[in-house]
Amino acid sequence: QSALTQPASVSGSPGQSITISCTGTSSDVGNYNLVSWYQRHPGKAPKLMIHEANKRPSGVSNRFSGSQSGNTASLTISGLQAEDEADYYCCSYAGSSTWVFGGGTKLTVL
Amino acid sequence: QMQLQESGPGLVKPSETLSLTCTVSGGSISSSSYFWGWIRQPPGKGLKWIGSIYYSGSTYYNPSLQSRVTISVDTSKDQFSLKLSSVTAADTAVYYCARLQTAGEAFDIWGHGTMVTVSS
């Protein structure tokens, strides 16, 4: 069970859109439509932003969207805002009631 | 609004057992809609799923930690616990407890996390 692969960092200017990728294998991301995304601000608990690849929980801004193709899932943030600066983690079901996270991506809003 | 709160020692000696408890408030741990999980984050590294438990006591562990991990549940207290044996410095991390939705298949509520340092 290897960690999902995410870029270490991405950046964008306010108002722009950015996309964070999350690459797994046919044993996890590619085999299930069960990728979730989490936002974590320093010193705070992770917050669920997307579940089941493209579903937004109640209360999450519609500027956040998710997609999946094959072994890669993506999180897109549109209309970037300063408050979006945080670490983002993907997570996938890996079968047999096990889960695997990505290494995390640091988003910097320039 | 359900909340989760981790508790336990912040310092553990090498080779000893790390023990943490997660207390669930604002709801019952005995719901068929949820699993309950432990996740950790070593300094400067990403999140790692440690394991999950159902209120019935069924457990699921990360294969890389399975030989050292025990997760248990106490439904009378709405608590679940983590024990990690034979710890080393590599187990130093922020440990989170979280609720796992069986419907949305995601960790939708998290505790604030507790830092555990393994050091003599």
Side-chain angles (χ1 to χ4, degrees):
Chain A
Q1 194 185 67
S2 299
L4 306 177
T5 301
Q6 298 181 233
S9 63
V10 298
S11 63
S13 299
Q16 289 186 330
S17 294
I18 63 94
T19 296
I20 299 171
S21 62
C22 170
T23 302
T25 69
S26 57
S27 297
D28 38 62
V29 175
N31 201 30
Y32 307 96
N33 205 40
L34 294 175
V35 173
S36 50
W37 289 90
Y38 303 87
Q39 175 192 66
R40 194 179 71 83
H41 286 109
K44 295 208 167 184
K47 176 185 177 183
L48 177 65
M49 306 303 285
I50 296 287
H51 64 93
E52 294 173 89
N54 59 13
K55 298 180 180 178
R56 262 190 323 274
S58 173
V60 172
S61 170
N62 59 9
R63 297 186 298 104
F64 291 82
S65 61
S67 63
Q68 181 176 333
S69 178
N71 295 340
T72 299
S74 299
L75 172 71
T76 298
I77 308 174
S78 59
L80 210 55
Q81 299 178 0
E83 68 207 46
D84 299 331
E85 185 163 294
D87 294 328
Y88 291 85
Y89 296 89
C90 61
C91 176
S92 175
Y93 182 64
S96 301
S97 297
T98 66
W99 299 85
V100 60
F101 282 88
T105 298
K106 181 177 179 58
L107 169 62
T108 300
V109 179
L110 302 171
Chain B
Q1 177 76 2
M2 183 173 282
Q3 293 184 320
L4 280 64
Q5 178 68 57
E6 307 89 350
S7 59
L11 181 64
V12 182
K13 290 183 169 54
S15 79
E16 294 189 345
T17 296
L18 178 161
S19 297
L20 296 174
T21 295
C22 183
T23 300
V24 178
S25 59
S28 173
I29 203 171
S30 301
S31 169
S32 60
S33 299
Y34 313 121
F35 284 78
W36 306 92
W38 288 98
I39 297 111
R40 74 181 185 182
Q41 183 168 30
K45 296 189 177 182
L47 297 170
K48 183 172 187 172
W49 174 74
I50 299 170
S52 302
I53 190 165
Y54 197 53
Y55 77 94
S56 62
S58 298
T59 51
Y60 309 90
Y61 299 135
N62 189 312
S64 68
L65 296 169
Q66 186 161 3
S67 63
R68 299 193 292 130
V69 173
T70 302
I71 297 176
S72 58
V73 63
D74 185 338
T75 55
S76 67
K77 296 181 179 179
D78 284 321
Q79 294 178 334
F80 62 105
S81 299
L82 168 71
K83 290 189 186 299
L84 182 65
S85 64
S86 305
V87 297
T88 68
D91 295 309
T92 294
V94 175
Y95 285 77
Y96 296 98
C97 60
R99 186 178 82 173
L100 174 60
Q101 280 258 9
T102 56
E105 298 289 4
F107 297 94
D108 65 336
I109 298 178
W110 296 62
H112 284 102
T114 186
M115 180 69 198
V116 179
T117 301
V118 178
S119 175
S120 56

